[in-house]
């Protein structure tokens, strides 16, 4: 440990010794002129803390001066070790110290003679009370950040809820989770990840009131319990503040990292219990994560686990399996001659108790419940088999299905679609998928890949509800798509509102410049259809042309138009 490469690891070794929670001191053999003078050659951080002094003032000092407690026993043991050259273990050496805090304390020490010095490693023996307090503290706190853990949070929440019930006050729970933590951990290593968590824990504590409990409840998940002065607006403000504070850059060895927190929160109602409150905040947090929002409040609609939703989800699963769903078809016409060009498949659920449930109610349920891909496959199968009813007479009229983004990016979708097409010998170019613009923007890169694969199989691809999803034109250019469907919110009022008319015209032009076909949705009168023709739209769809119809009625409608 002198020079060359050794010098480098000496530095590391010394730094490491300062991190240990064992006191270490190195004592030189006494000067022959001064036999009782044991001088200190080195102390680590823990030893200095134990002695209550700066390490630098201890080095070079005599043992009896440096340590503020009687050292006669220690000197004896050190002398013995030096004499015999053998290692010694001494347990429970009492510190009969006058110093405050040390009286009655004992240390366990291990003494190693090395050349003309001895190394003493010691650890205070905790008192029975200190030991039980330590164990309790450990059981209720996170060792890394020192913050309360999930168990303590649950306990405090229960107390808070009980008190709130008595006093009529409110309790709120916020949960924050880092979106990019595993990335940071993987690229910068676990130590960097640990440091980031410690830093975030400190930031949370600094920025909240003392009466709020900040906890670490999972790898990269923090929770804040608020039990005093809670109002929904107040919690919202705290959630915003947490988001801001957590996403400030952290310096990691010169590299500036920006944590990406997602925050969810819930305010307790009368009946809620501790675990349920935390679960609701987590549900809101997952929703915020999914929608890429910084913070969201819990609402029962988010909750796939709420009893009614769970019940419906089970029924939906059965409905898909047992063919209880129906598909209606809405024609899409050519704007110039109003001939039928295509049809869109729209699912319906005829629930035995609740009547017809519109897709807006259960499609999202299917998505959260992981049933999207099954739903899309079911609707596609039905649409492809129904298409045979009109294809003999209208051989160019294809059918499109609507697909949530998690079904499109499911790697099995292209295969499932190919299998269906070949089972029914349905030409791939007469089958299409629609994906809304905001779904495309949820994960543009994954969508590019998935749509590309479908398109390579010959399937037509459309961006639905176009104009509402803030898509970036850069992505739009890269998307493997054939068609834009202008959202009906612009189309419906284009004859009344000149701004809407301008938007529709611009969207048509944009689509054409990108080489795409343009469809206008939501045409509710003839005037709008004419305006769309003037605006250059290729196709149109809407109630004034035809409402969505069951397959047989659709075929009849098509025949009636020749
Ligand atoms: P979307 O894809 O934009 O479908 C068009 C919706 O607009 C349909 O409502 C249709 O009935 C309605 N519509 C058509 N013409 C007009 C009109 O002139 N005026 C007005 N006000 N509305 C018109 P629907 O069938 O209730 O579907 C709502 C949404 O549910 C669809 O919007 C689509 O996003 C989703 N959806 C429908 N079927 C499916 C499906 O099979 N799978 C999935 N994943 N989503 C579906
Ligand atoms: Ca659609
Ligand atoms: Ca649409």
């Amino acid at each position: 440990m002198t020079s060359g490469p050794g010098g480098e690891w000496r530095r590391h070794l010394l730094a490491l010794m300062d991190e240990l929670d064992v006191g270490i001191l190195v004592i030189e053999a006494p000067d022959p002129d001064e036999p009782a003078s044991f001088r200190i050659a080195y102390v680590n951080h823990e030893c200095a803390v134990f002695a209550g002094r700066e390490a630098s003032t201890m080095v070079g000092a005599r043992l009896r001066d440096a340590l503020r407690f009687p050292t006669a026993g220690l000197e004896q043991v050190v002398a013995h070790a030096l004499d015999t050259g053998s290692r010694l273990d001494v347990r429970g050496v009492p510190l009969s110290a006058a110093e405050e805090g040390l009286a009655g304390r004992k240390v366990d020490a291990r003494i190693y003679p090395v050349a003309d010095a001895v190394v003493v490693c010691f650890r205070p023996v905790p008192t029975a009370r200190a030991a039980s307090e330590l164990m309790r503290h450990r059981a209720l706190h996170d060792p890394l950040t020192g913050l309360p853990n999930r168990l303590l949070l649950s306990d405090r929440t229960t107390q808070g809820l009980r008190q709130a019930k008595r006093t009529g006050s409110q309790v709120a729970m916020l949960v924050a989770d880092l979106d990019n933590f595993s990335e940071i951990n993987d690229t910068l290593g676990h130590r960097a990840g640990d440091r980031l968590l410690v830093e975030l824990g400190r930031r949370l504590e600094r920025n909240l009131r003392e009466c709020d409990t900040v906890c670490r409840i999972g790898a990269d998940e923090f929770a804040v319990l608020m039990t005093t002065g809670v109002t929904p607006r107040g919690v919202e403000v705290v959630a915003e503040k947490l988001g801001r504070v957590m996403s400030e850059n952290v310096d990691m060895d010169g590299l500036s990292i920006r944590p990406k927190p997602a925050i969810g929160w819930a305010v307790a109602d009368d009946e809620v219990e501790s675990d349920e409150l935390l679960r609701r905040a987590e549900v809101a947090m997952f929703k915020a994560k999914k929608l890429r929002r910084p913070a969201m409040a819990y609402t029962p609609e988010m909750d796939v686990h709420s009893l009614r939703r769970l019940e419906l989800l089970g029924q939906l699963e059965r409905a898909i399996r047992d063919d209880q769903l129906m598909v209606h078809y809405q024609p899409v016409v050519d704007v110039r001659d109003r001939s039928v060009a295509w049809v869109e498949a729209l699912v319906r659920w005829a629930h035995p108790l609740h009547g017809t449930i519109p897709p807006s109610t259960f499609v999202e349920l299917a998505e959260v419940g992981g049933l999207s891909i099954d739903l899309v496959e079911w609707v596609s199968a039905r649409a492809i088999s129904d298409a045979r009813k009109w294809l003999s007479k209208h051989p160019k009229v294809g059918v499109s299905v609507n697909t949530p983004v998690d079904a499109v990016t499911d790697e099995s979708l292209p295969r499932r679609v190919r299998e269906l097409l070949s089972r029914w010998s349905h030409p791939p170019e007469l089958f299409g998928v629609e994906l809304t613009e905001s779904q495309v923007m949820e994960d543009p890169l994954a969508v590019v890949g998935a749509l590309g694969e479908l398109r390579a199989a010959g399937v037509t691809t459309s961006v639905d509800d176009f104009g509402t999803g803030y898509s970036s034109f850069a992505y739009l250019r890269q998307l493997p798509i054939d068609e834009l469907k202008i959202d009906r919110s612009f189309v419906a009022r284009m004859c009344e509102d000149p701004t809407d008319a301008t938007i529709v015209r611009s969207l048509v032009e944009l689509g054409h410049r990108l080489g795409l076909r343009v469809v206008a949705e939501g045409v509710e009168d003839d005037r709008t259809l004419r305006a769309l023709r003037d605006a250059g739209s290729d196709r149109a769809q809407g109630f004034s042309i035809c409402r969505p119809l069951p397959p047989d009625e659709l075929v009849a409608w098509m025949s009636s138009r020749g």
Side-chain angles (χ1 to χ4, degrees), residues 344 434 464-465 485 487-488 521:
E344 177 176 0
E434 296 184 6
D464 204 354
D465 300 352
K485 298 187 80 171
D487 190 67
R488 66 166 181 267
E521 295 186 312

Side-chain angles (χ1 to χ4, degrees), residues 161-458:
L161 287 170
R162 224 177 271 149
Q163 188 172 354
K165 212 167 199 172
R166 272 201 313 273
T167 58
S169 56
Q170 286 193 300
V171 172
M173 180 76 78
L174 296 95
V175 169
D177 183 279
L178 287 188
D179 232 8
N180 52 346
F181 182 70
S182 50
E183 230 169 87
I184 295 173
N185 234 2
D186 292 348
T187 42
L188 298 181
H190 288 269
R191 284 199 130 213
D194 284 356
R195 264 172 40 216
L196 174 69
L197 294 171
V198 170
E199 167 63 19
L200 290 179
R202 280 199 202 123
R203 285 187 190 175
L204 292 182
E205 279 195 307
R206 264 203 310 269
N207 284 281
L208 289 163
R209 302 171 308 173
E210 267 197 18
C211 53
D212 302 329
T213 306
V214 179
C215 309
R216 176 168 176 235
I217 56 171
D220 56 350
E221 200 173 331
F222 294 90
V224 178
L225 170 70
M226 299 174 65
T227 52
T228 36
V230 175
T231 62
R233 175 70 196 133
V235 185
E236 203 177 330
V237 171
V238 171
E240 280 163 17
K241 184 170 173 187
L242 283 191
R244 230 178 17 252
V245 162
M246 289 181 78
S247 52
E248 274 166 22
N249 284 18
V250 182
D251 182 64
M252 291 276 169
D253 298 328
L255 204 65
S256 190
I257 303 284
R258 187 182 164 84
K260 288 191 210 141
I263 294 167
W265 52 275
V267 178
D269 54 33
D270 285 350
E271 296 313 320
V272 76
E273 291 190 353
S274 155
D275 293 350
E276 171 63 11
L277 181 61
L278 179 60
R279 198 192 59 75
R280 288 183 185 179
E282 283 179 319
V283 166
M285 181 271 289
F286 282 122
K287 189 79 183 180
K289 217 173 209 195
K290 186 157 184 269
L291 300 179
R292 296 177 192 230
R293 302 259 197 85
M296 286 185 86
Y298 169 83
T299 58
E301 292 74 47
M302 287 179 178
D303 204 340
V304 66
H305 299 294
S306 83
L307 218 53
R308 183 169 141 65
R309 304 254 298 183
L310 256 188
E311 208 180 324
L312 264 184
L313 189 62
Q315 292 168 355
L316 179 59
E317 197 168 9
R318 241 168 293 133
I320 296 174
R321 202 183 51 222
D322 303 343
D323 285 348
Q324 283 171 18
L325 302 177
M326 296 178 309
V327 180
H328 286 186
Y329 298 90
Q330 187 177 35
V332 181
V333 298
D334 189 309
V335 169
R336 279 151 303 191
D337 60 7
R338 305 193 182 192
S339 60
V340 184
W342 201 264
V343 298
E344 177 176 0
L346 295 158
V347 71
R348 301 285 178 263
W349 184 6
H351 192 280
L353 288 178
H354 307 302
T356 303
I357 304 181
S360 49
T361 310
F362 66 88
V363 164
E364 201 210 333
L365 182 69
E367 235 173 294
V368 197
L371 294 176
S372 301
I373 182 85
D374 298 328
L375 179 64
V376 170
E377 187 175 35
W378 187 89
V379 175
S380 303
R382 181 53 66 88
I384 288 170
S385 80
D386 280 344
R388 289 182 313 159
K389 295 181 178 163
W390 67 78
L391 275 180
S392 53
K393 276 200 183 158
H394 305 270
K396 288 190 178 151
V397 178
V399 61
S400 281
V401 298
N402 293 280
T403 46
V405 68
D406 56 338
V408 166
T409 53
D410 185 312
E411 55 188 25
S412 69
L413 184 71
R415 178 182 49 78
R416 295 192 197 203
V417 167
R418 276 197 308 270
E419 279 170 13
L420 285 173
L421 294 171
S422 79
R423 187 182 323 149
W424 299 96
S425 308
H426 187 97
E429 64 279 10
L430 294 184
F431 182 74
V433 293
E434 296 184 6
L435 192 65
T436 68
E437 187 188 14
S438 42
Q439 288 171 333
V440 170
M441 292 318 293
E442 255 181 49
D443 196 350
L445 287 179
V447 166
V448 168
L451 286 184
E453 202 175 332
L454 282 166
R455 201 153 169 259

